[in-house]
Amino acid sequence: MRGFEALIILLAMCVPFIAIKSTDLTTYLYWTLVSALYLIYVALKRW
Amino acid sequence: MLIYALVLYLILGTLIAIYAMRRVVSEEEYYIAGRKLGGVVSALTYAATTYSAFMMVGLVGLSYSSGVGALGFELFYLVGTIMLLSYYAPKIWKLGKEKGLVTPGDLLKIRYGDLSAKILPVLIAIALIPYTSLQIISISLLLSKEIGFETGIAISTFVIAFWAFLGGMRSVAWTDAIFGVFMLLMAISAVLFATTLLPSSDFSKLGDLLYVPNSFWRIEVFIAYTLPWFFFALTNPQVVQRIFVPRDEASLKRMVILFGLFGLIYTVLVTFLGLQLRLLTELGNFPKITDRDLVTPKFLEIMPKELSVAIALSIFAAAITTANSIVLTLASMFSRDVIKRRSVLVGRAFVVAITIAIALFAIQRPAYVVDLAVMSSTILLCQLPLIFGVFHSKRGGDVSAIATLLAGFTSAILLYYTKATFGIPIGVWVLLISFAAFFFVSTIEKRFKVETS
């Protein structure tokens, strides 16, 4: 289960390399959002 | 004005260190604050130890020159750290409490025996003393206009040794906590000041700096930057030792989550500052800087004096909080694991000796200091198979552990100098070679033991 979680978060972090090519702050906001959501997940669910 | 700020900083830190010194009654108290720190202080010392002067100098410049990929690189590190800590920190903390572990070497000792714990501090010193010297060189150069380079080296090395010498981990942790908050506040101030300078927030002018891959952040470059830092939480001894300091599991959890929150906010601010300064350059309001390490110093020049002094002091504090944590951890490893003298006095002697070594490297600035500093996290990857082995495998003993450390370490150095990497990042090679050495030698070791028994 934890391996699956790790895979999902790592794949989510790689998305900008494949799917985002915009010249605005989309990549910046996407990475920030994914990291924040993962932190919230660990804080609320993992422990 | 900077001198007054430095004096105030020194007085405040020294008062904290003297107060902390009164509690140093045992070796465990000196090195890991008696396993009695609360979650908030633990989180702030973890954050201040992790986030060095690189953030406000190196990462601002990296974002400025290479774009949003710098945020991705640093957030991959953060996500990896939260992932590893949420799984391994409770196990390491529990083992530490049950078996009285104090140093990262103790963790290997309980599984692989004494010899690997004796070799480990030497390899770590080779990786981290030049890294720490480079931090001192960077902040001394930053302050050189005000106080001179040599004075900068002298003040910084004195502060590193003095606070750790007096109060050990508790002193380092309390000063880390106070100056960690200061670092965060100064990063916010820097972003707010840059915002006031921006006539427009049309970031589209930055073009390919706003996506990855671009001309700098190619996939292989991204992997080369990210991989060594991804495992930082398990391979860098100064942060591994901090897993032992929270007083209970609730404090440990608070440490991990609050560190994650600090790291996220700090990283977002610092990389955003780099993008803001680049936009200012594109709009003609900030000079074009080709050497990315000079972006922050140039930014400090255009600020009001009070703000630039405060931010320069926060960069100085960031370097000190990282450096004194490294020194204290190395001192604990040399005194407990190498010469096996369990006394606070010996630990304090090592704090002084290691700081002198750092100062000598910083003053002489031999060319290989930069090489070793750049490679520090890659070199430290050689411990990873052994740390995973503690929790996931029964393979291997002393011989496998030593072979793994030496194979990983020598391959990192050889590949760095020969460049014979066939396009594969050195970190990947070091991991492959270390894991291969661990499995190969542990298999032979097992057979040999079966035959002799």
Side-chain angles (χ1 to χ4, degrees), chain B residues 417-438:
Chain B
Y417 283 108
T418 61
K419 312 281 180 213
T421 59
F422 306 106
I424 297 170
I426 297 176
V428 176
W429 278 117
V430 174
L431 278 182
L432 286 174
I433 291 168
S434 305
F435 273 99
F438 182 66

Side-chain angles (χ1 to χ4, degrees), chain A:
Chain A
M1 181 60 193
R2 289 191 171 173
F4 182 67
E5 277 172 32
L7 186 68
I8 295 291
I9 181 71
L10 290 179
L11 286 176
M13 291 294 283
C14 290
V15 164
F17 279 94
I18 306 150
I20 305 177
K21 279 283 171 286
S22 58
T23 54
D24 53 22
L25 291 176
T26 307
T27 302
Y28 189 88
L29 295 172
Y30 174 84
W31 265 331
T32 305
L33 187 70
V34 170
S35 306
L37 288 176
Y38 182 60
L39 184 61
I40 292 167
Y41 168 77
V42 170
L44 299 180
K45 292 278 182 189
R46 176 66 82 77
W47 232 304

Side-chain angles (χ1 to χ4, degrees), chain B residues 62-380:
Chain B
L62 191 61
S63 313
Y64 176 94
S65 62
S66 71
V68 75
L71 173 78
F73 148 61
E74 198 63 29
L75 287 185
F76 254 90
Y77 150 73
L78 186 66
V79 161
T81 298
I82 295 168
M83 197 182 283
L84 293 170
L85 284 181
S86 65
Y87 183 74
Y88 289 103
K91 295 173 191 291
I92 294 173
W93 180 84
K94 215 172 270 179
L95 259 181
K97 204 163 174 70
E98 283 169 9
K99 298 190 184 291
L101 310 184
V102 170
T103 70
D106 285 341
L107 199 59
L108 298 192
K109 205 185 298 174
I110 55 166
R111 175 72 177 72
Y112 304 103
D114 268 0
L115 204 54
S116 54
K118 278 187 178 175
I119 289 175
L120 186 65
V122 179
L123 302 187
I124 287 174
I126 294 171
L128 288 185
I129 287 180
Y131 170 78
T132 314
S133 299
L134 200 65
Q135 295 272 327
I136 303 305
I137 292 168
S138 306
I139 54 169
S140 301
L141 286 173
L142 192 71
L143 305 178
S144 60
K145 274 189 189 164
E146 299 265 357
I147 58 173
F149 179 72
E150 282 80 11
T151 315
I153 299 272
I155 292 176
S156 47
T157 47
F158 171 76
V159 175
I160 290 167
F162 193 51
W163 294 351
F165 181 90
L166 289 180
M169 174 63 89
R170 201 177 290 275
S171 156
V172 169
W174 284 348
T175 47
D176 279 2
I178 289 171
F179 296 120
V181 173
F182 181 60
M183 283 154 54
L184 199 57
L185 291 175
M186 286 305 105
I188 294 170
S189 307
V191 169
L192 290 177
F193 179 70
T195 308
T196 64
L197 298 178
L198 275 172
S200 146
S201 56
D202 180 13
F203 278 91
S204 66
K205 289 191 186 320
L206 299 186
D208 75 342
L209 293 178
L210 291 174
Y211 57 80
V212 286
N214 61 14
S215 55
F216 182 90
W217 291 108
R218 300 185 310 278
I219 304 279
E220 67 276 16
V221 172
F222 195 82
I223 293 171
Y225 267 76
T226 309
L227 192 66
W229 294 97
F230 192 84
F231 296 104
F232 185 92
L234 294 181
T235 57
N236 274 60
Q238 69 277 19
V239 289
V240 174
Q241 195 169 40
R242 271 156 177 71
I243 297 172
F244 298 137
V245 304
R247 70 167 77 98
D248 49 33
E249 276 204 76
S251 302
L252 180 72
K253 177 187 173 182
R254 206 167 293 135
M255 176 183 97
V256 175
I257 303 304
L258 290 179
F259 160 73
L261 189 61
F262 183 109
L264 182 62
I265 296 170
Y266 198 42
T267 304
V268 165
L269 285 168
V270 165
T271 48
F272 191 63
L273 178 61
L275 294 179
Q276 282 183 309
L277 295 177
R278 184 56 183 254
L279 183 56
L280 278 169
T281 296
E282 299 302 325
L283 295 170
N285 294 353
F286 187 71
K288 173 101 178 168
I289 314 278
T290 46
D291 179 352
R292 66 187 187 216
D293 288 337
L294 296 180
V295 174
T296 298
K298 195 69 188 167
F299 183 46
L300 293 182
E301 282 177 18
I302 63 167
M303 281 180 181
K305 188 75 178 162
E306 295 79 8
L307 186 58
S308 78
V309 165
I311 291 174
L313 189 65
S314 78
I315 295 169
F316 184 82
I320 298 297
T321 53
T322 301
N324 61 8
S325 304
I326 290 173
V327 166
L328 188 64
T329 299
L330 276 173
S332 71
M333 294 179 83
F334 274 101
S335 62
R336 284 179 60 99
D337 302 337
V338 179
I339 66 163
K340 294 188 172 295
R341 293 286 294 276
R342 300 199 166 192
S343 102
V344 175
L345 190 66
V346 174
R348 283 181 166 141
F350 270 110
V351 164
V352 174
I354 292 165
T355 312
I356 289 172
I358 289 168
L360 289 176
F361 270 109
I363 288 170
Q364 293 178 357
R365 294 164 74 179
Y368 61 85
V369 165
V370 178
D371 293 340
L372 287 171
V374 169
M375 292 174 63
S376 63
S377 285
T378 309
I379 291 173
L380 295 176

